[in-house]
Every structure is written in C-alpha cells, then in structure tokens.
C-alpha cells in the first residue's frame, strides 16, 4: 500500500513449504536461512521508498521452530525494510495513525491489544481484499502477494498475487477520504479488478488539553 510517495506497507510471509488443504507449494530453496536471505536480497529497492513490515504467523514459525528472527535479519541487511513488530505495529503520519495487525494464534496475538479509534487499521492474514468503514475508523483487509489458492480473487480461474494502491487525501493534516484500487499481478503486468471509494472519513482526533 503506497502512502504518499515515501511509504509503502506490505504483508509478506515466507516458508519453505506452504500447505493449504490438499495443495502443497514447493520452492527451489529449501534451506530456511537461504530462503529468507534470498527474499531479503531480491526484494525491490528504491531509495525513495521505505517498506514497513508487520510480521505474521508464518514469520513467527521461523522464530519458534528454527530460532531464525526475520526482524533481526531485516535490520542487519536492509535499511529500507523496516520491521515494526510481530503481529501488531503502528505508523504515525502527521496526525494520522495506521495500525497494522496480523494474527499469530500460536502467541495469542489475535487482536490489536488496545482500543482503537480515529485510525486506519490494516489487517493481513485473511488473503482477501475487503474494506469496512466504522464510525471513526477505516479497516482495510489486504490481499495476498502469493498465488496460493485461498480466498484470493481468481482471474481466468487461476489465483494471482495482488496488491492495493491506496490514495488518501488530507484536510488540515487529517485524512478525509480514501480511494483504493485492487490490482492482480499477471506476467509482470497490473490488472485492475476493483476499486473502493471511502468519502467523508471522520478521523478527527481531539488534542489533549493541559
């Protein structure tokens, strides 16, 4: 999700073997450390873009089962890939707060862990693009960057990686509306498959008085 021109947030999960029902996806790299190293080294780099990463349940599996801490690997290898936590994270942009959440049931991380109002909540894990507008918050469920056959949208009866292009307009430093476009990635091309327009967001945050 591109925030302005200098922030991008994405959910990436990696594991040497992914099993979904009867479907098994194998990879050419079976060594866990080498796989993580390959993913970090080959993630696209742009000097003008920082990638803020909320680590999820598969990422935690590396830590619990193989003592491989993806957070530390990211910090050591890439200054532009910024892990903000396992399961939950928070990004402040001007007077706006973005909460990132990816459930990790093994660690009982199944919610944000705090009451959230006047914010935008971005949720991973569910592999399905969905938008819910509350009274004072906007909840965005992100699609998956993988092609595993889950709830991801199909194109010609096949599943493809997909992304959201999100545009937010500000008024006096506060996000007032949002325009989200959903794209599939097919043969290195972006195929637009839907959009959501969210007008008149009420994200006003009262300033504390002394």
């Amino acid at each position: 999700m591109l925030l302005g021109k200098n922030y991008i947030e994405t959910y990436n999960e990696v594991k040497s073997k992914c099993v979904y029902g009867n479907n098994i996806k194998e990879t050419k790299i079976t060594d866990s450390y080498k796989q993580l190293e390959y993913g970090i080294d080959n993630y696209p780099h742009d000097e003008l873009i920082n990638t803020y990463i909320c680590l999820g349940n598969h990422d935690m599996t590396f830590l619990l089962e193989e003592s491989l801490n993806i957070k530390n690997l990211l910090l050591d290898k890439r200054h532009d890939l910024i892990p903000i936590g396992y399961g939950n994270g928070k990004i402040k942009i001007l007077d706006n707060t973005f909460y990132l959440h990816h459930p990790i049931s093994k660690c009982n991380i199944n919610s944000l862990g705090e009451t959230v109002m006047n914010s935008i909540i971005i949720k991973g894990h569910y592999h399905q693009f969905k938008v819910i507008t509350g009274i004072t918050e906007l909840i965005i469920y992100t699609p998956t960057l993988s092609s595993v056959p889950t709830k991801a949208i199909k194109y010609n009866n096949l599943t493809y990686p997909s992304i959201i292009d999100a545009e937010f307009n500000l008024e006096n430093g506060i996000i007032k509306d949002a325009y989200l476009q959903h794209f599939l990635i097919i043969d290195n091309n972006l195929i637009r498959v839907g959009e959501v327009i969210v007008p008149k967001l009420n994200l006003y945050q009262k300033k504390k008085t002394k």
Side-chain angles (χ1 to χ4, degrees):
M1 184 186 69
L2 188 65
L3 306 178
K5 295 182 179 178
N6 299 95
Y7 302 89
I8 185 168
E9 181 280 316
T10 184
Y11 288 87
N12 273 338
E13 294 180 277
V14 287
K15 197 70 181 81
S16 57
K17 179 183 290 186
C18 297
V19 182
Y20 291 89
N22 295 322
N23 183 274
I24 299 177
K25 291 282 185 178
E26 297 284 359
T27 178
K28 294 179 181 178
I29 303 174
T30 56
D31 180 82
S32 295
Y33 182 84
K34 290 181 179 179
Q35 188 188 64
L36 294 175
E37 192 173 49
Y38 177 87
I40 294 171
D41 291 342
N42 287 275
Y43 188 89
H45 177 258
D46 188 315
E47 288 293 340
L48 298 178
I49 296 178
N50 290 325
T51 300
Y52 293 84
I53 302 173
C54 181
L55 298 162
N57 54 310
H58 294 296
D59 307 312
M60 178 62 79
T61 299
F62 279 108
L63 181 60
L64 296 178
E65 295 183 3
E66 303 182 54
S67 298
L68 289 174
N69 192 331
I70 299 178
K71 183 177 180 180
N72 290 341
L73 287 174
L74 289 168
L75 292 173
D76 288 341
K77 290 179 172 291
R78 292 281 295 269
H79 72 275
D80 60 312
L81 302 182
I82 305 169
I84 59 175
Y86 281 91
N88 289 316
K90 185 188 301 185
I91 299 174
K92 290 279 293 184
I93 300 177
L94 298 177
D95 291 326
N96 306 281
T97 304
F98 290 78
Y99 287 89
L100 281 58
H101 173 60
H102 193 126
I104 304 177
S105 57
K106 290 182 179 180
C107 300
N108 294 318
I109 302 175
N110 298 306
S111 66
L112 286 169
E114 60 182 287
T115 301
V116 174
M117 293 183 65
N118 305 317
S119 303
I120 293 176
I121 303 168
I122 303 173
K123 293 191 175 186
H125 182 70
Y126 300 99
H127 292 202
Q128 188 176 29
F129 175 49
K130 183 170 62 174
V131 177
I132 298 176
T133 305
I135 297 175
T136 59
E137 70 273 344
L138 174 65
I139 304 173
I140 302 171
Y141 288 80
T142 62
T144 175
L145 276 171
S146 72
S147 58
V148 293
T150 57
K151 294 180 180 178
I153 189 171
K154 286 183 170 56
Y155 185 83
N156 290 337
N157 207 35
L158 296 173
T159 54
Y160 294 92
S162 63
I163 61 170
I164 302 169
D165 181 6
E167 178 182 326
F168 300 98
N169 293 310
L170 303 177
E171 186 175 274
N172 297 323
I174 300 294
I175 293 174
K176 66 175 183 178
D177 57 47
Y179 176 50
L180 301 105
Q181 298 182 83
H182 186 194
F183 292 91
L184 298 183
I185 305 172
I186 303 177
D187 297 328
N188 291 324
N189 294 310
L190 294 178
I191 308 297
R192 186 173 176 274
V193 292
E195 67 176 11
V196 175
I197 299 173
V198 185
K200 299 181 179 179
L201 280 169
N202 182 24
L203 299 181
Y204 176 75
Q205 300 185 24
K206 293 182 179 180
K207 293 185 177 180
K208 295 180 180 180
T209 57
K210 293 183 179 180

